[in-house]
Structure formats: C-alpha cells, structure tokens
C-alpha cells in the first residue's frame, strides 16, 4: 500500500507522524523526520509502514492528517503551500486508503450498555406515555454535556438522582391518575425580571399586553385560587403603577376572571397594593394553557411615545411604565368535584373492573398496555407479573382500584427498563466482534435520535414484525418520523446544543452599552434560528440553505433590532430579506453573534473558534496554560480589536491557533455584540477583512459564506458528525470517519437534503451495529480491560 503526497504537504505530515514512527525499522527516518531527502522534495514519499493493517493508533494519526489536509491547515500558514488540485489529489489518495482499511476491518464502535434517559428525554417520554406535560426542570437536575451534547455521559445514577426520580414518579403518577389530595396543592410560577411586559405576548389574545402564558395541569375538577403578585422596585413600590389597569385570567384562551389593579391612595406605600389580586376559578382536570395578562391601554401616551427603548424593565435606565406580573400561585382544588376525564386517565385506566372483568384482570390489561410503550418493546406475561404485585398491595390495602393503578404506574416509571436504554451483547458473539443490533435496539435508537422520546406504536409493530433490521425499512421509518410534530425535538434538543443556543439564557450584555437588550429579544433571537432550521427539516431542503438564505423569520421586536421595516406584532413570520439588510443565514443571526461575544464587546477569537468547531469541524487545540488573556496583554483598550489581537499573535505560542481563528472572526466584525449591523466602531470604520485557512482574503460575512459554500463538504461533514454523536450518544472515534464520509458522499449526490443525512446515519454501520466488549465490563457495559 503506497501513498504519495506533494512535498509541501509531506513536510507538514512529518511533525505528526514522528511520534508514531519512532523506532520503526521499516521506516527510513531521514526521509521523513528531517525532510531533506531529494525524493521528499520531489513529492515521492512512501508511508506504507504507517498504513499497516491493524495499527489502530496509526489510522488515528492518518485521520488527523487527512482532517488537516482537508481543512487546508497543512502545511502551516507561512510555509510553501501546494495548489488546490494537489490538495484534492492528496486527500483523495489518503481517503481511499483509509476507507479500504476500515472496510476490511470494520469497527462500528461501542456504546454503553446502560444509558439513562436525559431530563429532556424523560419529559418527552412522560408526554408520549401518559399524555401529560410536566415541567421536568422542576423535577430533575440538568444533565452534564460531553462531546457537545447532554445524552453522552448518562450512564450513572447517583443515590441523590435516584431520589429525584422516585419523587418525580410519585408526583407524576398521582397527577396522571387524579388521586384525591389530602390538602390543596400549590404551584408557583415566577416570571423572569428582565422580561418587558409593555407589549403583546405571543399566545395571548390580541388587545392585551404583558403577562405570561403557562402550561398547567389541574389534578382534579374543582375550584382553584389564582393569586398574582406584581413586580416591585428596590423601594418595594410596584413598578409602573401610576393609574388603574384591568387584568384578565384566561383558561385555554377564554377569560374566566377580571381583576382591577389600582394605585393606592398613599403613593409611597404599596404594601397591600396587590394583596387582593386573586380569583377563585372553576377548572376541569387536565392540561390547559393558563394566561394572566393586562388589557391594553391604547390611550397611554407614556407607553407609546415617551420611551426611547423597546426594553422596559430596568428601574434606573428604562423603567416600566405599566405594572408587570412577578409571580403567579395556583392553589387547589377546593370544592373537589372528582378526577374528571383527562388524557392521562384514559391511558392509565383504559380498562376498568366490571361484571366480566375482575380488578386484577383490568389492572393486568392496563399494565400490559403501558409497559408496551414504557419499555419500548413487546411485553410478556412475565413482564406484567413483575409490576402487578404493586397494584395488588395497594388495592388490598384500601380496595381502591385507582390507587392500585397509581402504585403500579409509579413502579413502571422507576423501573430500569423505563429509565435506562439497554443494549446487551448476544451470548454467541465473540469478544471484540462487530454485530448487528436487533430490532428493539434499533427502534429505541431511532426514536430517541429523531424524537428524544419513546418509539410509537408503528415502530413497536415493526419490532414485532422484525423488519427494522432492513435498511430500507429504517429509512422509511425515519422519513415518516421526520414529518411528525415530535421531530421538533431535533430543533429544541439537538440544534440548541449544537449551535450553543442554550447558552443564550446565561448571556447578559452590559446594560450600559446595550440598554435595549431584554429577555424578549433573547427569545426572539433564539426563535429565528430555530424556525430557519425547522423550515429546512420540514421542507426537506438542502442543509446548505442554513449558510446562505434570502429568507428569515421575524417578529416586530427582532425586526426593529435588525432595522427591517414593515413587520408588526408578536407573531413570527417568514420574511424575504434584501442583500442590504445583511440578514439570512446562520452567520447573520443575532443568536449566534450574541453567544460568541463578550458582555462588553465582540470577540473575533470566540466567533472564529465557534465556526471552526461547529461549522467546519476543525477546532484548534486548547491554548497553553500560561497564555495570558487579551485583557492581560499590555495593549491600549482604545485600539480596534484587530490591532489588539495582532499584538496577541506576536507570541509564537499564540500565533499558530490565532492565525486560524482570528481571520474568520474578523469577517463578522460588522455585527456588534448583540448582532446589530454597524459600519463604525468608536468612530473608526470597521475592517471586516477575513480569510479561511488556505483561501484568499475576503471582506465581510458575504465573503465568509461564499468561501464556505465553495467547499460545502466541510459543513455537511461537520453537521453529519454532530448528528451522529447525538444519534449514538457517544463521541466519535477515528474509525467512524469512513462512515461519515460515505454519508456525505451519498447525500451530496441528491443535493444534501436533511433527510438524506438522516437516512445515511440510520443505515450506517455505527448506527446499525455495535462492537462487543473486549473482556470484563462494568455495570454500564464499558470494557474494563
């Protein structure tokens, strides 16, 4: 096996292969490590020994080399560089050799045998199993992320976390069945203090302003007390309460109570100004949208004319001109009227005891139906008998059938088969041997990949028919599932982590420099990005449309932020944007530009690193521990950021990485730290000249987009890798690279549609297969040897 590389690339390869080749008799060290041999200068290097079959570490090295060649990061900047054709030929030669090695010795990788449901997956599973929406953030802690996603390191279940799951199961079971409460229950919803409540809130009726809309499940029919507290300033005065206002409480969009909000006679004493803001309402059991809002005052000059900012929540800089809701407390039921007819009761109590059906038999049928979905497979009589004693014990205690079913449901929700996804090696497979997954495992992988939830009845039926092992069936099921509303989990779960949109909640730009930033704008930024990607998925368009698009999604708040006219109201809608608007693809979204900035300024370093890691798949190595931050370098803070970073790059240890990151980030300097377009910074024209590794320089975001689209395989490969990590729940290994390349090649033939990437993933060897353990394994299925 021989590989010939251009001499310029070979010189860069030497530094990477030297540690691997040290001491190898079959390798002529002088030819490579010193790069002085004439054959090297002619481009004739023989790396046969480095490509020996079975040398996994050496394949790893060559995959790193291929990645750097493909990214045009080898040779380093400033060295003699080959032409584009030589780069392409070298990459093609190396790719062919590596793919041949993997094909001869396939290694699909190994996932943990036990993987706990993440908090998001748990909430979605409860929704699909019981028809019950619960706020899992109130029940379970957040999961730690690894390799960019929170579904990777989920093999552990600590005692404290187990307690949380037990408590959650009991609460959910009571709510699902509607068991009578010994005393009224209470729930408190607190509104973020940085939400502006001067305008209409999406989801609430037109003609209202401010307030909030929350999903709530009433446990039983009856009366409930809704109590509202208003936002106060540091002097304990209610903000904006200078005149009377009318407040409405709505259930499912229908007004059920009205309250008057009046300023007290003593304007300096608001102690009891909101003490009587409570109403007793009649509600039926089950889920509903509960809204609390104010009627809009169209005659308020202060609201419409006298405030220069869209954001109005900061008492000193841009105070509220109208009252705002701080907290809502829902207590009940009072005058209990029974459990009612709820979606969860219809699922848990589908069979009831009667003349022809004993309580135990009815419970057996209910448990069997629940287990089929909860355990994600066809169930046996033995499975049912494991759960039935929980019903029998509770039923025998007080003769209450529903109390018995509540106990059985709690047992299901804390069972290993529900809380964990299990993949076990077949008994007849030798250690360290690839094997094909069964239909049950494939169904779970598919549903948690695309829905972050349980397989539905269609998938479980496919398991029973044993057809999911057919790649064509996997593709058919995947395309069906992408059209289901539950595929929205790909956006809320995968995309929010891939693009760092989850970080938006922790971003608070400096209020003195960016006084018009509030949570309303933060949420609008996030939604614009989510809607763009949702459109690509739903319409099955090319994923390259994420980079360049003449369309975006705006509401009035975001349109004003962008300076785009003629967009009114809180509703988001698709808008065609002209080139001069400087909006469209992901790199022009305020969400991305904000999470890659500091609180006081932009950061070309963070932006460049973000693009290299998340869009191009070639992140630079972490900085050395002794490298000072930019603020610690003795450079005037009044200098433009380009000149300040130039001083940083004068350090040799910094230059190698910053020469890659900084030019990319500079291309986005026309956008400030919250994504607004600018031509000047502190009176100085913005210099947005940038470059991608191995390319000529360009100016601005348009040039950056053009450079990325000219070699689209880099973005498509990176998105594929991110999707595959998320789908498998493990980090990728060098042995996965061949599968990624095949997915990208196949998708490129049909225009890189999103469904093509998904189809390639679900039919790939890493998704359909698994490597058996190499010896003794721990309780999570990890090889201990």
């Amino acid at each position: 096996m021989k590989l010939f590389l251009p001499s310029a690339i070979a010189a860069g390869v030497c530094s990477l292969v030297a540690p691997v080749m040290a001491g190898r008799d079959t390798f002529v060290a002088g030819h490579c490590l010193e790069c002085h041999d004439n054959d090297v200068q002619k481009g004739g290097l023989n790396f046969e020994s480095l490509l020996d079959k079975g040398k996994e570490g050496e394949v790893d090295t060559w995959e790193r080399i291929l990645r750097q060649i493909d990214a045009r990061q080898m040779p380093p900047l400033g060295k003699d560089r080959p032409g584009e054709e030589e780069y392409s030929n070298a990459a093609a030669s190396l790719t062919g050799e590596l793919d041949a090695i993997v094909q001869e010795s396939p290694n699909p990788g190994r996932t943990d045998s036990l993987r706990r449901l993440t908090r998001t997956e748990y909430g979605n599973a409860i929704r699909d199993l019981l028809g019950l929406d619960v706020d899992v953030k109130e029940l379970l802690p957040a999961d730690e992320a690894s390799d960019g996603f929170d579904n990777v390191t989920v093999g552990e279940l600590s005692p404290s976390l187990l307690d949380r799951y037990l408590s959650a199961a009991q609460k959910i079971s009571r709510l699902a069945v509607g068991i009578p409460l010994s005393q009224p229950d209470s729930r408190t919803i607190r509104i973020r203090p940085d939400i502006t409540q001067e305008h209409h809130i999406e989801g609430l009726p037109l003609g209202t302003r401010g307030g909030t809309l929350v999903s709530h499940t009433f446990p039983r029919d009856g009366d409930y007390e809704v109590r509202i507290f208003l936002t106060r300033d540091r002097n304990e005065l209610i903000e904006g309460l200078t005149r009377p206002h009318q407040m409405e409480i709505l259930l499912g969009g229908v007004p059920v109570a009205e309250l008057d909000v009046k300023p007290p006679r003593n304007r300096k004493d608001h102690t009891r100004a909101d003490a009587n803001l409570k109403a007793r309402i009649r509600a039926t059991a089950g889920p509903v949208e509960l809204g609390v809002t104010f009627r809009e005052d169209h005659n308020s000059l202060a609201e419409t004319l006298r405030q220069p900012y869209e954001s109005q929540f900061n008492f000193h800089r841009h105070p509220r001109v109208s009252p705002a809701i701080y907290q809502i407390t829902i207590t009940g039921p009072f005058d209990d009227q029974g459990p009612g007819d709820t979606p969860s009761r219809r699922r848990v109590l589908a069979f009831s005891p009667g003349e022809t059906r004993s309580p135990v038999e009815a419970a057996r049928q209910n448990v069997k139906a629940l287990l089929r979905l909860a355990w994600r497979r066809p169930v046996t009589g033995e499975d049912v008998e494991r759960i039935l004693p929980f019903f029998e014990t509770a039923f025998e205690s007080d003769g209450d059938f529903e109390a018995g079913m509540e106990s059985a449901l709690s047992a299901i929700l804390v069972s290993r088969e529900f809380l964990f996804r299990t993949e076990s090696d077949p008994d007849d497979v030798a250690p360290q041997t690839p094997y094909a997954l069964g239909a049950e495992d494939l169904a779970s992988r598919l549903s948690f990949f695309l829905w972050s939830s349980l397989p539905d009845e269609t998938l479980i039926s496919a398991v029973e028919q044993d057809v999911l092992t057919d790649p064509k069936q996997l593709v058919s099921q995947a395309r069906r599932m992408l059209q289901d509303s539950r595929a929205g989990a790909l956006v809320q779960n995968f995309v929010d982590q891939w693009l760092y949109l989850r970080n938006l909640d922790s971003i608070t730009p400096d209020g003195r420099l960016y006084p018009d930033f509030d949570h309303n704008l933060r949420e609008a930024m996030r939604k614009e990005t989510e809607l763009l990607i949702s459109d690509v998925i739903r319409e099955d368009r090319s994923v390259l449309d994420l980079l360049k698009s003449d369309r975006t999604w705006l509401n009035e708040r975001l349109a004003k932020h962008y300076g785009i006219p003629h967009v009114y109201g809180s509703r988001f809608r698709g808008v065609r944007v002209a080139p001069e608007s400087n909006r469209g693809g992901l790199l022009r979204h305020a969400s991305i530009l904000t999470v890659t900035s500091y609180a006081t300024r932009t950061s070309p370093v963070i932006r460049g690193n973000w693009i290299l890691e998340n869009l191009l798949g070639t992140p630079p190595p972490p900085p050395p521990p002794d490298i000072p931050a930019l603020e610690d370098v003795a450079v005037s803070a009044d200098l433009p950021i380009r000149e300040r970073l130039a001083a940083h790059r004068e350090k040799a240890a910094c230059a190698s990485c910053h020469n890659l990151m900084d030019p990319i980030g500079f291309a986005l300097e026309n956008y400030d730290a919250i994504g607004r377009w600018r031509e000047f910074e502190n009176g100085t024209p913005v210099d947005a000249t940038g470059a991608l590794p191995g390319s000529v320089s360009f100016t601005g975001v348009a040039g950056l987009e053009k450079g990325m689209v000219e070699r689209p395989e880099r973005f498509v490969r990176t998105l594929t890798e991110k999707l595959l990590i998320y789908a498998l729940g493990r980090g990728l290994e060098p042995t996965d690279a061949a599968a990624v390349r095949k997915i990208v090649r196949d998708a490129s033939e049909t225009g890189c549609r999103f469904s093509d990437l998904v189809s390639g993933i679900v039919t790939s060897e890493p998704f359909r297969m698994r490597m058996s353990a190499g010896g003794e394994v721990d309780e999570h299925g990890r090889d201990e040897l």
Side-chain angles (χ1 to χ4, degrees):
M1 179 182 306
K2 296 187 182 299
L3 178 71
F4 293 92
L5 301 178
S7 57
I9 295 179
V13 168
C14 295
S15 62
L16 286 176
V17 302
V20 177
M21 298 312 303
R24 291 286 296 275
D25 295 336
T26 56
F27 184 77
V28 181
H31 282 194
C32 182
L33 300 186
E34 297 181 1
C35 292
H36 294 316
D37 188 270
N38 289 333
D39 289 338
V40 174
Q41 302 303 321
K42 296 177 183 178
L45 269 181
N46 181 350
F47 293 104
E48 178 179 3
S49 58
L50 191 57
L51 290 174
D52 285 347
K53 296 183 179 67
K55 303 295 183 182
E56 182 178 345
E58 296 175 3
V59 172
D60 295 356
T61 301
W62 278 112
E63 287 289 354
R64 285 199 299 126
I65 293 170
L66 176 59
R67 180 63 62 97
Q68 293 198 25
I69 292 173
D70 191 55
R72 307 304 189 252
Q73 294 181 5
M74 181 185 292
L77 298 177
K79 302 292 185 179
D80 292 336
R81 300 175 69 84
E84 188 62 31
E85 183 177 355
E86 290 180 296
Y87 267 121
S88 299
N89 291 340
S93 175
L94 187 51
T95 296
E97 299 289 0
L98 290 171
D99 288 352
I101 292 174
V102 173
Q103 186 174 3
E104 189 168 329
S105 303
N107 181 358
R110 180 172 177 81
T111 55
D112 288 348
S113 293
L114 286 177
R115 294 180 52 238
R116 175 179 50 80
L117 300 188
T118 67
R119 184 171 70 175
T120 298
E121 292 169 344
Y122 183 87
N124 291 343
I126 294 298
R127 176 202 64 201
D128 294 339
L129 176 66
L130 303 175
L132 196 63
D133 281 313
V134 296
D135 187 352
V136 290
K137 293 180 181 179
E138 297 177 356
L139 302 174
L140 299 171
D143 300 289
E144 294 185 4
S146 178
D147 291 283
F149 300 98
D150 62 8
N151 66 341
V152 175
T153 54
V154 286
E156 305 291 339
L157 183 60
S158 65
S160 61
L161 185 55
L162 177 60
D163 287 341
R164 298 288 291 271
Y165 275 112
L166 289 171
S167 177
Q170 293 169 354
K171 183 174 182 178
I172 291 169
S173 298
R174 287 196 302 268
L175 191 60
V177 178
I179 294 296
L181 304 176
S182 58
Q183 60 183 8
D185 196 12
S186 181
R187 180 192 178 194
T188 297
I189 302 102
R190 188 163 293 175
I191 313 304
R192 287 184 62 121
D194 59 346
I195 293 180
T196 297
Q197 298 190 36
E198 308 296 334
H199 308 289
H200 177 256
I201 302 294
E202 187 176 13
L204 290 169
L206 296 176
T208 64
R209 67 147 192 92
T212 189
L213 187 68
V214 298
S215 297
H216 183 72
T217 299
F218 291 100
R220 293 173 67 84
D221 294 347
D223 292 341
Y224 293 82
E225 182 182 86
V226 180
R227 186 169 186 178
I228 299 99
F229 296 90
L230 302 179
T231 301
R232 296 171 180 264
D233 60 25
R234 64 181 59 184
N235 300 317
E236 284 300 310
L237 300 180
I238 294 175
E239 297 181 14
L241 185 55
T242 59
R243 63 187 186 281
H245 296 264
Q246 286 187 308
M247 179 184 290
E248 288 186 345
I249 300 175
L250 308 99
L251 288 182
V254 178
V256 293
E258 295 183 359
L259 300 171
D260 291 326
V261 182
K262 298 179 180 180
R265 292 181 180 180
N266 183 354
R267 296 299 179 95
K268 295 184 179 181
D269 183 7
H270 286 196
T271 304
R272 298 188 56 79
D274 56 358
N276 295 319
L277 290 182
K278 55 186 176 182
R280 187 73 69 92
I281 63 174
R282 175 59 60 94
T284 57
V288 69
E289 295 289 320
L290 183 145
V292 180
T293 184
F294 296 93
R295 288 185 181 176
E296 189 172 12
D297 185 357
H298 295 283
N299 298 320
S300 171
L301 292 176
E303 282 190 87
T304 58
L305 296 180
R306 297 181 181 176
Q307 293 297 321
Y309 298 120
E310 286 295 313
S311 66
Q312 292 172 326
F313 68 89
N314 186 292
F315 177 71
H316 292 287
R317 297 192 183 94
H318 32 78
R320 302 184 191 274
V321 297
S322 300
I325 294 170
Y326 166 70
Q327 178 177 294
I328 301 170
T329 301
I330 307 167
T331 306
F334 303 97
D335 188 23
D336 191 335
Q337 298 295 305
D341 180 23
T342 65
S344 58
R345 281 179 60 84
R346 289 194 291 270
R347 298 189 186 194
V348 178
L349 305 172
F351 299 93
S352 301
E355 295 182 0
T356 60
R357 187 185 294 120
S358 69
V360 173
E361 181 56 33
R364 179 177 285 107
Q365 291 178 287
N366 288 328
V367 167
K368 183 177 181 180
L370 290 170
L371 286 181
R372 180 178 171 86
L373 288 178
W375 289 4
R376 307 179 280 279
R377 60 173 172 80
V379 296
T380 65
E382 183 179 349
D383 295 328
V384 176
E385 294 304 319
R386 277 180 51 193
I387 302 298
L388 207 56
F390 293 93
F391 165 83
E392 293 173 334
T393 300
F395 178 70
E396 291 170 359
S397 175
D398 55 14
D400 188 337
F401 178 79
E402 294 185 0
M405 282 305 307
E406 180 204 352
S407 179
L409 179 58
S410 292
I412 292 173
L413 296 184
V414 295
S415 63
R416 188 190 73 168
E417 289 83 351
F418 177 73
L419 288 180
F420 286 87
R421 294 168 55 189
T422 305
E423 293 179 352
S424 302
D425 296 343
D427 294 336
D428 58 349
V429 173
Q432 285 291 294
T433 303
Y435 68 91
L437 292 172
E440 292 178 12
D441 294 334
L442 288 173
S444 283
R445 283 197 176 192
L446 196 58
S447 65
F448 282 99
F449 170 32
L450 300 180
W451 290 347
S452 296
S453 186
L454 310 171
D456 62 356
E457 181 59 37
T458 303
L459 266 181
I460 296 177
S461 296
V463 171
E464 289 179 319
Q465 299 167 20
D466 198 25
V467 297
L468 277 185
T469 52
D470 181 357
K472 292 182 179 179
Q473 285 292 325
L474 278 174
V475 170
S476 176
Q477 292 287 352
R479 292 183 182 275
R480 173 187 70 85
M481 296 170 70
L482 283 174
Q483 298 303 311
D484 192 282
S485 61
R486 284 169 285 188
L490 275 173
V491 176
Q492 282 88 37
N493 205 13
F494 166 73
V495 170
D496 279 11
Q497 295 185 79
W498 166 43
L499 299 180
Y500 297 1
L501 299 187
R502 286 188 178 181
N503 295 359
L504 271 174
D505 288 333
S506 62
I507 298 294
T508 304
D510 189 296
R512 293 166 296 180
L513 298 176
Y514 308 102
D516 213 17
F517 188 91
D518 58 8
H519 189 65
N520 310 57
L521 181 59
R522 181 188 286 116
E523 287 299 294
M525 291 175 175
R526 187 201 316 272
K527 193 161 186 178
E528 176 193 24
T529 304
E530 291 179 345
L531 288 174
L532 169 64
I533 298 177
S534 294
D535 183 69
V536 168
I537 295 174
R538 183 178 58 254
E539 301 299 326
D540 199 18
R541 296 193 282 112
S542 170
V543 296
L544 297 176
D545 289 351
L546 298 176
L547 295 180
K548 293 192 69 173
S549 176
D550 62 352
R551 192 175 184 223
T552 194
W553 278 257
L554 304 172
N555 67 352
E556 183 176 357
R557 181 74 175 87
L558 190 58
K560 286 184 177 181
H561 184 68
Y562 287 164
I564 296 177
H566 313 308
V567 178
Y568 303 104
S570 61
R571 180 182 64 85
F572 275 80
R573 76 295 310 263
V575 177
R576 294 287 177 186
V577 288
E580 58 268 21
S581 73
N582 301 301
R583 302 298 165 181
L586 288 176
L587 296 177
R588 303 167 186 251
H589 282 205
S591 60
I592 306 300
L593 297 162
T594 300
V595 297
T596 54
S597 296
Y598 290 119
T600 57
R601 64 169 175 84
T602 62
S603 174
V605 176
I606 296 178
R607 288 177 174 178
N609 181 74
W610 183 90
I611 290 172
L612 285 171
E613 182 170 350
N614 293 289
L615 302 186
L616 299 179
T618 53
D626 58 342
I627 297 300
L630 180 60
E631 286 74 9
D632 298 331
V633 180
V635 180
S636 173
D638 295 329
L639 289 175
I641 189 65
R642 181 182 290 269
E643 296 182 28
R644 297 173 67 191
L645 286 172
H648 201 63
R649 289 196 301 275
E650 290 178 357
K651 295 181 176 292
C654 302
S656 59
C657 292
H658 280 269
N659 286 336
L660 299 174
M661 298 184 293
D662 296 1
I664 298 175
F666 287 143
L668 301 177
E669 273 298 284
N670 280 122
Y671 297 99
D672 70 7
I674 57 173
R676 296 177 303 191
W677 182 262
R678 62 183 181 178
E679 300 285 351
F680 295 88
E681 181 185 12
N682 298 326
T684 303
V686 170
D687 183 358
T689 304
L692 287 165
S695 73
V696 297
S697 63
F698 48 74
T699 300
V701 64
L704 177 56
E705 290 173 339
K706 183 174 182 291
M708 295 174 66
V709 172
E710 283 177 349
R711 294 188 58 219
E713 70 280 356
R714 293 180 297 177
F715 172 70
V716 179
R717 180 199 64 215
T718 305
L719 175 54
T720 301
E721 290 173 342
K722 299 293 184 180
L723 281 167
L724 192 57
I725 293 171
Y726 178 76
L728 299 176
R730 65 167 175 84
L732 296 190
E733 303 293 339
T735 50
D736 297 313
V740 171
R741 288 191 287 268
K742 182 179 186 305
I743 295 169
V744 173
R745 283 195 303 269
D746 293 345
S748 299
E749 294 177 357
T750 53
C752 297
R753 295 177 304 176
F754 187 83
S755 66
D756 296 329
L757 293 185
V758 170
S759 297
I761 288 171
V762 302
T763 56
S764 67
E765 287 188 354
F767 190 89
R768 295 189 302 109
M769 302 182 69
R770 185 170 183 254
M771 181 69 76
S772 62
E776 295 182 10
V777 296
D778 64 14
E779 67 272 22
H780 306 297
R782 294 190 288 260
D783 194 346
E784 292 187 334
L785 298 183

